[in-house]
Amino acid sequence: EAGVAQSPRYKIIEKRQSVAFWCNPISGHATLYWYQQILGQGPKLLIQFQNNGVVDDSQLPKDRFSAERLKGVDSTLKIQPAKLEDSAVYLCASTEGLSYGYTFGSGTRLTVV
Amino acid sequence: QKEVEQNSGPLSVPEGAIASLNCTYSDRGSQSFFWYRQYSGKSPELIMSIYSNGDKEDGRFTAQLNKASQYVSLLIRDSQPSDSATYLCAVNLFSGGYNKLIFGAGTRLAVHP
């Protein structure tokens, strides 16, 4: 089966600019997650979708981050305006059930300068 | 207290030795535990899951769980240089009717010839 697709792989922007990341989960996976992984740290959950509804966004900095999941399939994560501390890898993951674990995409490495 | 704690390492072991990676967690209600391997510049990949107290073996990998002590470990037998990576411990939290994985910061393993 095809894996979790993410784009772009890399992005360099200046602070205060905006950026968007895209994720296409594995077909049939109802649950989708966005994680932020800062260098040297473990992944930190930003937002969780069940189908096209948000079930947990408690760690999402809502003043600058937003996310949506169109029709319960693809998802986009947006940052506007970006700060230097947003430099990280943004990982998308999906699952068909916890017992199967999560499958991660290849991630988007964001550098804010 | 962090929800999932791991020693950051690096843990250095000679080729052929047993590598022992440890993880503690804070939520007594957690029922599902996972180990992910992450090579530098790559996304995490699932290598083991464990749900019951005791040991679970898969090839050269053994996961151990002690819920009373809130402790999870991963043993890698006959360590190879290709096992050099960061190992992430992940613990399931059930909150608001949904499951989410919380990750530790990871332990960096270096296997030297």
Side-chain angles (χ1 to χ4, degrees):
Chain A
E1 67 180 356
V4 177
Q6 287 190 249
S7 67
R9 286 297 311 275
Y10 305 93
K11 191 74 176 179
I12 301 175
I13 62 172
E14 295 183 349
K15 59 184 179 183
R16 291 187 291 274
Q17 286 187 324
S18 63
V19 64
F21 313 128
W22 174 82
C23 172
N24 188 348
I26 292 174
S27 178
H29 283 194
T31 312
L32 183 148
Y33 307 83
W34 283 101
Y35 281 85
Q36 179 194 57
Q37 188 173 24
I38 293 172
L39 187 64
Q41 299 182 18
K44 171 189 166 186
L45 180 65
L46 292 177
I47 190 166
Q48 175 181 351
F49 291 93
Q50 185 73 19
N51 296 308
N52 62 346
V54 175
V55 300
D56 187 347
D57 62 359
S58 56
Q59 297 297 305
L60 189 73
K62 299 181 189 62
D63 58 334
R64 299 184 300 107
F65 286 64
S66 64
E68 61 179 1
R69 188 177 183 193
L70 304 173
K71 300 180 181 178
V73 182
D74 292 10
S75 178
T76 56
L77 176 69
K78 297 179 182 177
I79 308 175
Q80 181 179 15
K83 292 185 176 181
L84 296 177
E85 59 260 36
D86 298 332
S87 295
V89 175
Y90 290 84
L91 294 163
C92 179
S94 69
T95 184
E96 59 181 312
L98 182 62
S99 60
Y100 300 95
Y102 292 11
T103 301
F104 283 88
S106 55
T108 296
R109 182 176 298 276
L110 173 67
T111 302
V112 182
V113 298
Chain B
Q1 180 188 9
K2 292 183 180 178
E3 292 172 302
V4 181
E5 294 207 52
Q6 298 180 254
N7 285 327
S8 59
L11 173 65
S12 183
V13 301
E15 184 174 357
I18 296 175
S20 178
L21 304 161
N22 305 314
C23 170
T24 58
Y25 60 95
S26 60
D27 187 275
R28 285 197 167 274
S30 295
Q31 297 294 322
S32 305
F33 308 87
F34 304 84
W35 284 99
Y36 283 78
R37 178 175 61 199
Q38 186 172 30
Y39 291 113
S40 181
K42 302 294 185 183
S43 59
E45 58 175 324
L46 179 66
I47 54 172
M48 290 286 290
S49 59
I50 188 166
Y51 309 102
S52 304
N53 279 330
D55 295 359
K56 179 182 178 183
E57 186 174 319
D58 184 0
R60 295 187 296 113
F61 299 97
T62 298
Q64 299 175 317
L65 174 61
N66 184 327
K67 291 183 181 179
S69 299
Q70 295 175 245
Y71 178 90
V72 192
S73 65
L74 179 70
L75 301 178
I76 305 175
R77 290 181 300 281
D78 187 24
S79 295
Q80 301 297 310
S82 58
D83 294 326
S84 298
T86 296
Y87 289 80
L88 298 164
C89 174
V91 176
N92 178 61
L93 289 184
F94 186 73
S95 175
Y98 295 95
N99 292 297
K100 60 183 179 181
L101 278 187
I102 305 300
F103 286 82
T107 298
R108 191 155 52 94
L109 173 66
V111 181
H112 53 86

